[in-house]
Amino acid sequence: MRILKIKISGLDLFKEGLEISWLAQQNVTEDNNQGLHSLFSNIFTHNVLSIIGINASGKTTVLKVVTAIMDIFLANEKLNSSQAKEVLIGKNIMIETYYYSDSKNIIKLQSYIDKNKENELCFSEEILWQKKSSSVKSKNKLFEFDQKKYAKKRSLEDHQYLADDISIFIAEIKQEKIKIQIHDFIRFTNFNFMGISGEIPVEVISFLDPSIEYVKVSHKDNDYKKSLVQLKFTQQKQPIEFSNILDLDKYLSSGTIKGLNMFAYIYSTLKNSGYLIVDEIENHFNKSIVRTIIELFRNPKVNPHGAMLIFSTHYPELLDDFDRNDSIYITKKTDTLTLTNLSQLLKRNDLKKSEVYQSDYLEGTAPKYNAYINLKESISKHATEV
């Protein structure tokens, strides 16, 4: 089951709506198909989506919304036990999600969210459509459905055993007989600790810090404060052992700890054709490591199953590594938050994306010049005061 597009209306923070698509929206040729995964015919999805914007423009919020939607519809989490309560704030919220199933169907799910008598989120209505992918004759027709010919409707189903905060899509996921892996790395953005257990592959350790011979972590009762950590440096005869995983930062850099965590998720995501969601991917990493991570997902030999990396960044230079504009989203904040695909703002792929972004040609992608001047004058005045 692959998610193709999310479209949401009714959110307070995104008054114009929020839409994000994994589909290749521009033409696909042999020269620009790097990082794309073929679904069928001329339909491709991106293996990597990047979200960039200035500070406080909504990057993290977008990632949290995407994670919440995936948790609800792909991982069968309850509306009130996921990030949904934090980000799905508004009135008359309607979520449209589109999928490509393992049985080669295109699925459209329309979900309406309200609050029940206990003031908790609930599904007030859901409608599901599906059609064979073989019936799709062009990319423009992919998301078109006969509105009258729906396959399932929540209000017409027997929901005696279905809670009002569980989607009817749970039946589709169970029918696929697979467990979709969604790795949310957002929680590691500002709190960096070792969240995995087991023996770390030596190739990962050598890539991050060649002075380390091995790292082994085991947690007792899933409690990271009751752990056995064995850390062996190449120049030492005996490993260092300690019981609190938080003590690892006394010996390893923040970048190494984050890298050990992230590469464990990368291994799992690539193997199981899952999703990895990372906020501020450059945090604690140099650009070389970030580029390596992105390239792993873009390389069809390493990522043959179309696993997806979705990340936010402050580094416009990373955009220059992308051949295509349609794998990049721009966040902006004016009276509301907006998310726009770069291909809608910039038609040419040959322009250097970082320069276009930093020049503020797209408007709203660089700090205001007047704000910069006022800041400089304020600091200058403060520095010269006697």
Side-chain angles (χ1 to χ4, degrees):
M1 184 75 71
R2 311 300 298 165
I3 194 164
L4 302 178
K5 186 167 76 168
I6 296 172
K7 187 177 181 180
I8 312 176
S9 62
L11 295 179
D12 287 348
L13 290 176
F14 296 87
K15 294 176 182 175
E16 297 176 9
L18 173 63
E19 183 174 330
I20 184 166
S21 173
W22 280 261
L23 284 180
Q25 299 173 44
Q26 298 173 302
N27 291 332
V28 178
T29 66
E30 291 184 2
D31 296 329
N32 67 3
N33 62 3
Q34 183 74 9
L36 297 179
H37 180 71
S38 177
L39 290 184
F40 64 94
S41 185
N42 64 336
I43 306 299
F44 295 81
T45 53
H46 291 285
N47 293 342
V48 179
L49 282 186
S50 61
I51 300 172
I52 188 167
I54 61 174
N55 287 339
S57 62
K59 298 184 297 298
T60 302
T61 302
V62 169
L63 291 180
K64 286 183 176 181
V65 170
V66 169
T67 304
I69 298 303
M70 288 185 174
D71 284 344
I72 293 164
F73 297 111
L74 295 180
N76 297 327
E77 286 201 14
K78 295 182 178 180
L79 274 174
N80 295 289
S81 62
S82 68
Q83 294 190 64
K85 293 180 70 174
E86 178 184 348
V87 294
L88 296 185
I89 300 173
K91 294 181 179 179
N92 301 317
I93 295 174
M94 191 272 283
I95 303 173
E96 276 186 8
T97 48
Y98 296 84
Y99 308 88
Y100 179 67
S101 73
D102 289 1
S103 53
K104 299 183 179 180
N105 286 329
I106 308 298
I107 300 172
K108 172 184 176 180
L109 178 66
Q110 210 168 61
S111 305
Y112 297 85
I113 294 176
D114 206 340
K115 288 193 174 181
N116 58 23
K117 294 179 180 179
E118 287 75 34
N119 203 35
E120 292 188 327
L121 295 174
C122 66
F123 289 105
S124 58
E125 182 60 286
E126 288 188 287
I127 310 171
L128 184 145
W129 294 263
Q130 65 179 10
K131 61 184 179 182
K132 290 291 184 182
S133 60
S134 57
S135 69
V136 178
K137 303 305 179 184
S138 70
K139 189 189 301 183
N140 295 333
K141 304 292 184 180
L142 182 64
F143 297 134
E144 290 186 3
F145 289 81
D146 186 335
Q147 293 298 102
K148 296 180 180 179
K149 295 182 179 179
Y150 54 82
K152 188 179 296 186
K153 195 171 186 179
R154 188 181 189 95
S155 57
L156 299 177
E157 300 290 327
D158 182 5
H159 297 301
Q160 183 178 356
Y161 302 104
L162 184 63
D164 64 4
D165 61 350
I166 291 287
S167 171
I168 62 172
F169 202 60
I170 185 174
E172 306 299 320
I173 297 298
K174 285 186 175 180
Q175 187 175 333
E176 294 287 319
K177 296 181 180 179
I178 56 172
K179 185 176 181 180
I180 301 169
Q181 291 196 355
I182 302 162
H183 295 301
D184 174 9
F185 211 77
I186 301 173
R187 58 199 173 104
F188 292 105
T189 304
N190 298 314
F191 184 43
N192 196 28
F193 74 100
M194 194 77 161
I196 59 173
S197 60
E199 188 170 354
I200 314 299
V202 293
E203 295 83 0
V204 172
I205 294 173
S206 298
F207 176 71
L208 295 170
D209 186 345
S211 70
I212 303 172
E213 186 174 325
Y214 64 78
V215 181
K216 300 177 183 179
V217 181
S218 59
H219 299 304
K220 183 178 180 181
D221 300 325
N222 293 320
D223 186 348
Y224 65 85
K225 290 185 179 180
K226 298 178 181 178
S227 306
L228 174 61
V229 183
Q230 294 178 302
L231 172 63
K232 173 74 165 57
F233 289 96
T234 56
Q235 301 301 318
Q236 293 180 328
K237 293 183 178 179
Q238 298 296 326
I240 304 168
E241 294 187 355
F242 45 94
S243 59
N244 190 337
I245 193 69
L246 296 181
D247 289 339
L248 196 61
D249 65 1
K250 296 178 182 179
Y251 306 97
L252 303 181
S253 71
S254 294
T256 299
I257 295 173
K258 179 179 179 179
L260 294 174
N261 267 329
M262 185 174 292
F263 276 97
Y265 284 120
I266 290 171
Y267 269 65
S268 176
T269 304
L270 292 172
K271 179 181 179 180
N272 297 288
S273 186
Y275 300 86
L276 177 61
I277 303 170
V278 185
D279 193 21
E280 298 182 16
I281 195 170
E282 70 277 2
N283 208 11
H284 299 297
F285 285 156
N286 61 47
K287 291 178 185 176
S288 176
I289 292 178
V290 174
R291 286 190 162 108
T292 296
I293 293 169
I294 294 171
E295 180 57 28
L296 288 174
F297 281 84
R298 283 165 50 84
N299 189 324
K301 292 184 178 179
V302 181
N303 184 14
H305 308 301
M308 294 182 180
L309 168 67
I310 307 133
F311 71 89
S312 70
T313 182
H314 293 99
Y315 284 1
E317 299 94 325
L318 292 177
L319 305 184
D320 296 330
D321 294 347
F322 292 84
D323 303 322
R324 306 172 58 87
N325 293 339
D326 56 358
S327 59
I328 300 167
Y329 279 86
I330 308 289
T331 56
K332 297 181 185 180
K333 182 179 181 181
T334 50
D335 296 333
T336 184
L337 299 180
T338 61
L339 179 73
T340 310
N341 192 271
L342 183 58
S343 65
Q344 299 174 14
L345 303 172
L346 189 65
K347 301 302 180 184
R348 293 176 56 182
N349 285 319
D350 59 330
L351 296 177
K352 193 170 185 180
K353 297 173 181 61
S354 61
E355 293 180 355
V356 172
Y357 180 87
Q358 291 174 305
S359 70
D360 206 30
Y361 170 81
L362 304 174
E363 299 183 358
T365 59
K368 296 296 183 183
Y369 181 73
N370 289 341
Y372 160 71
I373 293 298
N374 292 337
L375 174 65
K376 186 172 72 171
E377 290 180 353
S378 173
I379 294 175
S380 176
K381 181 180 179 180
H382 179 77
T384 55
E385 285 180 349
V386 177

